[in-house]
């Protein structure tokens, strides 16, 4: 089955819009009665929505899942081309991410993980590029370089961030940490620039901006400290948790498990290709209208709409001012993620950065395709934006500007122009998290808002989406019990 999302390119085919994915759901809807009153409507079929849908259906509620796309997964989905999965969005998982690991264990998929990189074969080097030129070094030397620079960057307390943020899942425990949300990445680099060598500066900028994929002055220093604390205040754990293990069959092989388990309860109704236009809270129930004019009703709604899209939906009553303001500001990650299948098997052990003069700033060899080619995955930031489908030759130059490769195929999804995302994974500007996180997490009437964008733990990650989906399901169940609302399909 082919999704209308995503692009692929080869010399022979040219640019093709739409790629195959097991996350595409057919039939697109199983709803026969459009007048049904549901216990809960879940808006959005990403990991947050899938988790909430599954947990609520398993608890005996009649659930309706509405999704604007033709597939599940949201910002984390995969395509299989030529027998090889390319990850279009969120990719890597780890046992250091507790909610993800619980679900991997639940679905008995521990043996489905594989290591992205393999430095045991091929050129086995790291490329460091800047406006001054490009040179190579060993991965060990690169690790020492990035580690040293990052430790200087995070060392605001003499303990490399451990004192000011000892518990990243309870980040406000120490009020002293809040002041760092007034700083941007650019502000913090300015504070330490005299202690950085030119190589350290280049490597640090590329590594830190891989987190935000935004301009340094737009990127929150506080949020990087949060990522750093989640990774045990250690660069080696950053690599271990953030970019090492992925599913052999792709993210969609994981997401489909959630959907299938919910469907097996016979309490799940769903409709894909159903973008939401309006949500009206009518006190005793909530009415939702899609762009096509179809209406759905339920006692409660779980909205998993991402931050950058939240203000595109009409709410009645209006969203609380804190939510409106946060959505107006939005998050800053406008990442371009590009996969390149390259006719260079020796590049299997390659990785590198180039900043600031290239449209892709970080890349790593991520696998070997069945054809024996190397799969390179590369990331760009909005300091030098790239919209891959608009100029394939420019995109190819951005790849080869990082890595000297013979490109056979390009695969990508333009998240910036995706109407249901308007950006990649969440990364805030200074001030957004400490000023608005509580507003975003707060329910409003019969509507509960859940999304990885405002998770307290692995915010912006698959783990954060699952955390939020579980919170939403429990919140709905607690709310129905408290208000003595009798669900249609069971008694609580």
């Amino acid at each position: 089955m082919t999704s209308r999302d995503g692009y692929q390119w080869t010399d022979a085919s040219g640019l093709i819009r739409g790629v195959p994915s097991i996350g595409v759901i057919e039939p697109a809807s199983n709803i026969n009665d459009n007048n049904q009153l549901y216990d809960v409507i879940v808006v959005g079929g990403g990991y947050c929505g899938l988790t909430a849908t599954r947990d609520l259906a398993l608890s005996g509620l009649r659930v309706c899942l509405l999704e604007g796309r033709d597939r599940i997964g949201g910002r984390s989905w995969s395509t299989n081309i030529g027998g090889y999965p390319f990850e279009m969005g969120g990719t890597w998982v780890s046992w250091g991410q507790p909610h993800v690991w619980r679900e991997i264990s639940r679905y008995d998929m521990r043996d489905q993980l594989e290591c992205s990189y393999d430095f045991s074969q091929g050129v086995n080097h790291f490329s460091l590029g800047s406006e001054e030129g490009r040179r190579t070094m060993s991965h060990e030397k690169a690790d020492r370089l990035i580690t040293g620079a990052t430790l200087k960057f995070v060392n605001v307390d003499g303990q490399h961030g451990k004192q000011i943020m000892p518990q990243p899942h309870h980040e406000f425990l120490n009020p002293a940490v809040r002041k760092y949300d007034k700083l941007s990445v650019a502000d913090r680099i300015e504070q330490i620039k005299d202690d950085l060598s030119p190589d350290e500066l280049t490597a640090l900028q590329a590594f830190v901006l891989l987190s935000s994929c935004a301009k340094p002055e737009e990127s929150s220093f506080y949020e990087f400290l949060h990522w750093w604390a989640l990774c045990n205040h250690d660069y080696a754990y950053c690599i271990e948790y953030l970019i090492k293990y992925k599913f052999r069959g792709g993210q969609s092989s994981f997401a489909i498990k959630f959907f299938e388990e919910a469907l097996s309860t016979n309490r799940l109704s769903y409709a894909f290709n159903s973008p939401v236009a309006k949500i009206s809270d009518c006190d005793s129930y909530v009415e939702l209208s899609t762009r096509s004019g179809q209406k759905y009703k339920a006692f409660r709604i779980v909205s998993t709409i991402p931050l950058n899209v939240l203000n595109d939906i009409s709410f009645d009553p209006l969203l609380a001012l804190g939510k409106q303001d946060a959505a107006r500001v939005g998050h800053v990650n406008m990442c371009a993620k590009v996969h390149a299948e390259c006719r260079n098997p020796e590049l299997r052990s390659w990785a590198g950065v180039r900043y600031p003069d290239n449209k892709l700033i970080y890349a790593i060899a991520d696998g070997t395709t069945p054809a024996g080619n190397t799969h390179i995955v590369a990331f760009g930031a909005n300091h030098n934006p790239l919209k891959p489908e608009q100029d394939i030759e420019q995109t190819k130059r951005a790849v080869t500007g990082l890595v000297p490769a013979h490109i056979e195929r390009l695969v990508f999804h333009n998240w910036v122009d995706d109407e249901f995302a308007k950006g990649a994974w969440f990364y805030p500007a200074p001030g957004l998290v400490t000023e608005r996180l509580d507003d975003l997490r707060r329910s409003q009437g019969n509507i509960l808002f859940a999304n990885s964008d405002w998770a307290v733990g692995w915010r912006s990650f698959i783990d954060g989406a699952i955390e939020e989906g579980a919170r939403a399901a429990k919140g709905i169940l607690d709310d129905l019990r408290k208000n003595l609302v009798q669900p249609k399909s069971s008694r609580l």
Side-chain angles (χ1 to χ4, degrees):
M1 293 176 285
T2 299
S3 173
R4 63 179 176 268
D5 284 348
Y7 294 86
Q8 60 172 313
W9 171 91
T10 67
D11 264 334
S13 69
L15 183 66
I16 298 173
R17 181 170 185 173
V19 294
S21 176
I22 62 172
V24 176
I25 302 300
E26 292 184 358
S29 177
N30 69 348
I31 297 174
N32 297 315
D33 179 6
N34 288 323
N35 296 313
Q36 184 169 358
L37 176 64
Y38 296 97
D39 296 321
V40 186
I41 295 171
V42 177
V43 180
Y47 275 105
C48 180
L50 290 173
T51 302
T53 295
R54 181 202 62 192
D55 290 359
L56 290 166
L58 288 173
S59 297
L61 302 190
R62 178 64 65 179
V63 183
C64 179
L65 173 65
L66 299 177
E67 167 58 54
R69 307 179 190 274
D70 55 14
R71 58 171 182 80
I72 58 172
R75 288 173 286 184
S76 297
W77 69 290
S78 58
T79 177
N80 193 295
I81 299 173
Y84 184 85
F86 293 90
E87 299 286 0
M88 309 302 279
T91 302
W92 294 279
V93 294
S94 168
W95 40 87
Q97 298 163 346
H99 300 283
V100 158
W101 194 248
R102 178 178 181 271
E103 301 298 342
I104 289 173
S105 299
R106 177 194 189 102
Y107 294 122
D108 197 21
M109 295 183 71
R110 291 180 296 272
D111 62 348
Q112 297 301 305
L113 299 183
E114 65 180 15
C115 189
S116 281
Y117 54 82
D118 180 359
F119 296 156
S120 68
Q121 54 183 306
V123 294
N124 191 24
H125 70 228
F126 183 93
S127 174
L128 181 68
S130 66
E131 292 172 314
E132 284 71 43
R134 180 163 60 186
R135 62 190 182 86
T136 62
M137 62 185 71
S138 69
H139 289 292
E140 292 76 15
K141 183 175 181 179
D143 284 349
R144 291 194 297 270
L145 177 70
I146 300 173
T147 297
T150 306
L151 287 174
K152 294 176 184 178
F153 184 67
V154 299
N155 194 27
V156 293
D157 55 3
Q159 296 185 31
H160 305 118
K162 294 178 183 178
Q163 182 177 350
I164 57 114
M165 197 179 288
Q167 297 182 36
H169 290 79
H170 189 23
E171 56 199 24
F172 301 140
L173 185 65
N174 183 356
V177 76
R178 285 175 171 258
K179 66 181 181 182
Y180 297 109
D181 205 18
K182 298 183 183 297
L183 295 180
S184 69
V185 166
D187 293 332
R188 177 57 183 163
I189 288 176
E190 180 66 23
Q191 291 176 348
I192 64 168
K193 64 180 182 179
D194 292 341
D195 294 329
L196 298 171
S197 70
D199 281 355
E200 283 181 322
L201 179 60
T202 297
L204 175 66
Q205 288 173 322
F207 173 59
V208 173
L209 295 183
L210 176 62
S211 305
S212 71
C213 289
K215 298 175 183 177
E217 61 270 20
E218 295 176 340
S219 304
S220 166
F221 173 55
Y222 171 93
E223 190 72 353
F224 185 84
L225 286 174
H226 184 237
W227 283 41
W228 178 252
L230 287 166
C231 294
N232 296 334
H233 307 89
D234 189 300
Y235 174 71
Y237 278 105
C238 288
I239 299 302
E240 183 83 13
Y241 290 175
L242 304 182
I243 201 168
K244 187 170 184 178
Y245 294 103
K246 61 179 183 175
F247 287 104
R248 187 174 295 112
Q251 271 295 334
S252 292
S253 70
F254 185 40
I256 198 69
K257 300 288 188 182
F258 294 70
F259 183 77
E260 289 173 343
E261 185 174 7
L263 198 60
S264 72
T265 65
N266 295 318
R267 288 185 287 271
L268 173 62
S269 300
Y270 65 83
F272 288 78
N273 302 312
S274 299
V276 173
K278 184 176 182 178
I279 298 175
S280 300
D281 191 341
C282 305
D283 292 331
S284 61
Y285 68 93
V286 188
E287 182 177 84
L288 181 150
S289 303
T290 66
R291 292 182 193 169
S292 66
Q294 182 62 55
K295 296 184 184 300
Y296 299 87
K297 295 180 180 179
F299 291 118
R300 300 290 186 272
I301 281 184
V302 175
S303 166
T304 72
I305 299 165
L307 176 63
N308 284 3
V309 186
L310 197 56
N311 275 347
D312 292 350
I313 310 300
S314 175
F315 286 89
D316 182 18
L318 296 174
L319 285 177
L321 290 178
K323 284 184 170 60
Q324 289 186 49
D325 184 60
R328 178 185 56 78
V329 173
H331 75 79
V332 298
N333 186 340
M334 299 295 138
C335 176
K337 181 181 182 183
V338 177
H339 299 279
E341 182 179 355
C342 304
R343 193 172 62 246
N344 305 84
E346 73 279 5
L347 292 179
R348 182 65 181 94
S349 56
W350 178 93
V353 302
R354 183 172 172 181
Y355 182 84
D357 60 324
N358 199 57
K359 288 184 176 294
L360 294 169
I361 63 172
Y362 184 100
I364 187 170
D366 197 33
T368 301
T369 69
N373 296 324
T374 298
H375 164 215
I376 301 288
V377 57
F379 300 86
N382 69 357
H383 78 286
N384 194 356
L386 174 69
K387 295 188 176 182
E389 77 281 9
Q390 293 185 2
D391 189 336
I392 286 296
E393 291 304 315
Q394 182 186 71
T395 302
K396 291 163 66 177
R397 288 194 299 272
V399 172
T400 56
L402 259 175
V403 52
H406 299 281
I407 299 171
E408 293 280 327
R409 184 189 310 274
L410 295 173
V411 185
F412 51 85
H413 182 133
N414 181 346
W415 292 106
V416 176
D417 291 342
D418 183 319
E419 63 173 323
F420 302 120
K422 293 188 174 181
W425 63 87
F426 171 89
Y427 198 94
L432 180 63
V433 169
T434 54
E435 293 172 10
R436 293 301 182 198
L437 192 71
D438 287 343
D439 291 320
L440 289 167
R441 293 174 59 79
R442 192 171 294 119
S443 61
Q444 183 172 319
N446 294 314
I447 308 169
L448 196 150
F449 295 85
N451 192 279
S452 65
D453 291 359
W454 47 86
V456 296
W458 287 91
R459 192 163 42 245
S460 81
F461 290 82
I462 297 165
D463 190 89
I466 296 172
E467 171 200 317
E468 278 288 288
R471 178 179 74 91
K474 185 177 185 303
I476 291 289
L477 290 168
D478 289 348
D479 185 45
L480 291 178
R481 290 190 180 100
K482 177 181 177 181
N483 290 282
L484 301 177
V485 173
Q486 296 297 316
K488 291 165 64 68
S489 50
S490 71
R491 297 179 64 87
L492 291 179

